[in-house]
Structures are given as structure tokens and as C-alpha cells.
Amino acid sequence: DASKRFTINDALYEDPFIKDLQERKEFIASGFRVDYVYNRVLTEAFM
Amino acid sequence: EYTKEKKVGEGTYAVVYLGTKQSTGRSIAVKEIKSSAFKDGLDMSAIREVKYLQEIQHENVIELVDIFLASENLNLVLEFLPSDLEVIIKDKSILFTPADIKSWMLMTLRGVHHCHRNFILHRDLKPNNLLIAPDGQIKVADFGLARTVPSPHEILTSNVVTRWYRAPELLFGAKHYTSAIDVWSVGVIFAELMLRIPYLPGKSDIDQVEVTFRALGTPTDRDWPDVSSFPAYNKLQMYTPPSREELRRRFIAASENALDYLCGMLTMNPQKRWNTVQCLESEYFKEAPSPTEPSKIK
Amino acid sequence: FRHSSQYRFWSFTPEQLTQKRIQVNAQATSSVGESLRNFISENQANLAEEDIKSIEEKAVPVTMEEEIKLVSIYAKKLQGIAQHLNLPTEVVGTSITFFRRFYLENSVLQMHPKLIVLTTIFLACKSENYFIGIDSFSQKTKRPKDSILKYEFQLLESLRFSLLVHHPFKPLHGFFLDIQAVLHGKVDLKYMGQIYDKCKKTITEALLTDVVYFYTPPQITLAALLLEDEALTTRYLELKFHGNFQAASDSTNQESNEVISKSNLTINFDVLMNLITSCKQQIEKPTTVSVEEAIAIDAKVQFCSDPNKL
């Protein structure tokens, strides 16, 4: 079953830790993407 | 079970032999890890190869057939892959078509996509790590620099990927990069397949910055927010990005979709750079010519 | 997950796990028994009657149950050392995992746990990209370098060369987000933060038990969440799975099929609840071993490996 058992609703997430990183210049410039982080932890949760 | 018949290569941390799996007669390659080479015990490259190849089973990733210890040496038994893309690019007597290139790109991206969806960064994609099986399948190999996608706060070393294939964020010393670095490497490999010469051959890490931005333009905060915050951003020569016309002239064999696909992978801003799914689903792979059947590539 | 080495090599039913441990213990017991007999026969001349008697009484191979206790004592010690070294949670988790897996393939009679503890932490650091050079590691742990390095190969081989460990920590972050989405507006964030921290501790404790062999990482995470807040977790799972499952049985209603097709969740709420409840109970089960018992077991192992000590 290759379907993902979740949808990313980042508007509904309050994740102060991640939100903080998202604002930092060195993270933005490095290519950091919040949706990649969410996808990673949600995939691990629903694997 | 495994013989070592012929030594075919030696690196800092391993010796590679050709051999045979006795029970099946299958040709294999044995990578013998030198235990003495690393004063801190088992070599990190060996640990990474073992760790990630154990988890990945995919047609376009080299197969780890077996692992065993023999006389204090760790031996990785890998599938035997007689050639690689670097050999093909360099050997001018070998002619290949845009359909062949498309096939190699498709297989490479499938292998890299499988790594990324397993949250594994390869971090050393280059033509001689894209091996070619007897049936024409491309196999991503050499996971000695691979690592899992980091936790958000983790700091990564930017000293990865062989220089010519190194993404601009790495050239700037980024510590929080993503799988976008692998896509950049695939983009440079694509350019090299079309040109049949290295596309961004920097002579040194400093020169690599110069060569990259002269070819593709120096990024600014407008197209790459906060790029100027990198310490290495100062003292840069400002080059304008090539026009579409210039790109057409540079890659004369490339269709419009092929150019879009190239530009998607070589997008400066890593946040905007295409990921492997966007690459695989791009028009380039849908338009004629369709990718050559791997076993039919000469 | 089913392609992972963790599922392929390190997932068992309770029966399989017991069988494995019995086998490892039996093998070690017979080889220790033989070496003790050889010891006595080789030293017949200068062994007094009571020496032989005390060897037969005290150098007795430990049972499988005693092995499990000794391993769990040292796993806790290992956790303490790793935390003392300020290693990240995941590295501590990997160290514990490597150590416990090692004793599914080896008996404490063949390798005393104290010999392998530091090697395990050292390899886990390397494997988790938290590299500490052997010089500084040896200095921090006050142990000679070669005593740490010499068992690295054997450890790697016993781990069946599987180094990638999926821990329940990332799923915890995932559920932390998904609970917010499914119970949107009904959960207090500050409270969620407290739950999050408590669950991390519960998960690290869970890694010291056999649930890691019986359940997947997210199931362990859900069990930890259930432990910390049963109502919240049940509510979340009901909304997440029960609704869909309920709709599936009521096939008349068109929009319910949309729910199924949209989320096409194939997880059965009741099965899941039973599963994570049993996991929770196993996590809660105390595994403490008294100091006296630990000393007695340890002595047996020492005497078996070196009857001269007797």
C-alpha cells in the first residue's frame, strides 16, 4: 500500500521549534524546507 | 562461497576484486575494507556503505549481495557492474543518442528518488558512481558519503560531493542542506552527457564557485533569499544568468523540455530546485524520443 | 518499514524471541560446561577436592532468564554512560538497540556485557553521524582504545550488519503534528509540549524492553502516548481511524466512501487499539533486578569464564 496515510496540513501545525528554524537566514539559504521535515516525521509515524 | 579472482581497484579504505559466487556462478565484486586504514576502528565510509545498502533494494541501486568478515577484514559482496557513465562519456568512439541519454537519466533518477523517499542522501553522485549492468540498467553506487536526512537542528558538513558536481549551497558552506544537493549533481551529469565534456570543471574549490556562476549566473537575494548571508558570498564576481537563447546554443541537441528539465535541476535556490518527483514527472520524459530500452542501448 | 533490516532481521513474535534466547543460552552452556570439564581434568593434579566441589557448585552457567536480567542491568548502565556523554537521544537509543540485539546472537557467558558496552556506544556514534574519535572517546570513558576497538567487528557481525535503526522518536514528532490537525482547536499546545517531553522519556525506557522486537516504532510511540494521556490518544485514533472504519461498514452513504477513498486508511481502529494497549502494558511492566541478584548472576558468569577466580 504505497499511499501515504497522512496529508501535510502545515497551517494547522503549531511547531515552535521548526517555525523558528524556518525564519533563520542560514536555514533559508541552505534550502531548508519545513514541508520536507513534516513529510519525514509523518512518514515515520505512518510507516 | 565467494572467490576473489582479479584485483580491479584500490582506494584509501578498500580493495576491489572481481570474483564469482560459487553456488550460482554469478559474477560479483568483493570490496575488501582495509581494517588498519582507519585509526578509529571501522572506517566511516564502510559503515555508511553497509548501513544504507542494507536498507535499499532497488533495480537502480547497486545490490549488496552479502557481507562477511574474513581474517579481520570486512568484505562487501556487491553485484558485478562492468562499466559506468564516465567511461561512456569519455570514450568518443561510443556514439549515443538523445534517447539513450533520456534512458540513463530516467534510471538514475529512479535510483536517486528511491534513496530520497527512504530519506537517504547520497552526497557523491557523479558519472563514475553511476554504474552500468550487463543488461544496461544504471545503478547508483558508492554510498561511502551517504547519510540519512538530518534532524532539523543537526549541522552537516558541506565538504561532500565531488567538486564538479557540488551544488552552490555546498560551495557557500551550507550546514542545513537537503536532498536538493543530489538533484544538482544529476543536473550537471545530464549537461555532461549532452556536451560529452565536463560541464562545470572547477580546478579548485574557489575556482568551482567562479566556473559555476560564470556558466549559470551569480545568485542574488532576489532569486535566492538570504544567499548573501553566507559568509562566502562576499567578494563574488557578479555574472548574469545565461539567456534562454544562450542555453539553446550551448545545448544544441536539447529540446525545450530538455532545457526546462536541465534548468529545473540546476536551479540555484535549493528551495526552488526540482525534487526527484518533479524531475521524473517532467515533460522531458513524456515527449519523443522515448527513453531507449536499457538492454538495447549499444 | 517491511523492507528495512529492522523488520527483516529484528522483528519476532514472543515465541520466536524466547526460542532464540534459549538456543543462544544452550549453545553457550554446553561450551562452558565442556571448558569447565577440561579445566578440571587439565588441573586434576593441583586441584583439591573442595576446589572441584566449589567449581561444580559456583561455576554454574547462568540460565536464559538470568542472562536477560544481566543484559537489562547492563543496558541501563549503558544508557547512563551514553547520557553522561551527552549523546543525542537517537544515539542513546541506537546504542541501547545495538547492545540488546548483540545479546540475541551472543550469550553473556561468551562475552561479558561490560566488555562490549563502550564498543556499542562508539559504533552507534559512528553510525549515527555523531562521530567521536577513538582518542577522545577513550579519554572520556577512561578506557584503553584497543579494548574499545577490538570488539567492533564482532559487534557489527552480530548485528548482522544492520545499522539503520528506526526509533519511535520521529513518529512522536509526526503524531504531535497530526494530533494537532485531527483534533484542531481541541488541544492545548503547551500541554502537548509537556506530553511530548514525557513521551520521549517513556520511549527511551521502552527501548530497554522487548517491545522493540514485537511492535513497529510508531506503535510504540502510540503506546507511549496512550500511557501519557489515554483520553487524548484514544480520541485522536477514533477520529483518525474509527470514523473511516465505521463509514466503510455503512456502504450506503455515498460521502462515507469518499472519506475512505480520500484517506483510504486501511487501519482497523479496534485492532490498533488492542495492539498498542498490549504494547503499553509491556512497557509498564517493571524489569528491575535487585542488586544482590545482579551480583550473584555476575559472579556465576565470572566463575564460568575464569574458574581460577574460585
Side-chain angles (χ1 to χ4, degrees), chain C residues 14-69:
Chain C
E15 298 71 29
Q16 287 167 338
L17 189 67
T18 304
Q19 198 44 48
K20 206 168 166 61
R21 285 173 166 149
I22 287 172
Q23 197 181 341
V24 163
N25 178 265
Q27 220 166 355
T29 298
S30 74
S31 69
V32 161
E34 190 185 332
S35 59
L36 284 170
R37 280 190 296 281
N38 296 342
F39 175 85
I40 290 173
S41 62
E42 281 152 20
N43 298 279
Q44 194 77 38
N46 52 18
L47 277 177
E49 197 48 43
E50 66 267 27
D51 293 334
I52 295 176
K53 195 160 169 297
S54 83
I55 288 175
E56 281 158 0
E57 273 167 16
K58 293 184 181 165
V60 176
V62 290
T63 64
M64 179 196 77
E65 291 73 14
E66 287 170 325
E67 289 217 33
I68 293 173
K69 287 176 180 166

Side-chain angles (χ1 to χ4, degrees), chain B residues 35 38-42 44 47-48 50-52 54-55 57 67 69 72-74 147-148 151, chain C residues 3-5 8-9 122-123 126-127 129 131 133-135 149 152-153 156-157 160-161 163-164 170:
Chain B
S35 53
F38 196 53
K39 76 171 183 55
D40 293 292
L42 251 173
M44 279 301 286
I47 285 182
R48 288 183 172 129
V50 168
K51 177 173 180 182
Y52 299 113
Q54 273 286 39
E55 308 301 324
Q57 298 95 31
I67 310 181
L69 287 180
E72 279 296 295
N73 279 331
L74 181 65
R147 67 153 289 154
T148 45
S151 297
Chain C
H3 284 90
S4 68
S5 58
R8 287 180 289 129
F9 302 149
F122 182 68
L123 181 62
K126 280 206 256 187
S127 175
N129 287 294
F131 181 68
I134 189 62
D135 295 327
L149 293 179
E152 201 177 25
F153 271 82
L156 185 65
E157 191 174 32
R160 302 182 64 183
F161 305 100
L163 296 172
L164 198 149
K170 286 190 179 62

Side-chain angles (χ1 to χ4, degrees), chain B residues 27 66 101 119 129 141 145 172 178 189 196 201 204 218 221 276 282:
Chain B
S27 294
D66 202 345
I101 293 176
F119 304 107
N129 280 343
L145 270 176
F172 283 131
T178 67
I189 293 165
R196 297 209 65 168
S204 68
T218 308
D221 281 344
T276 49
S282 67

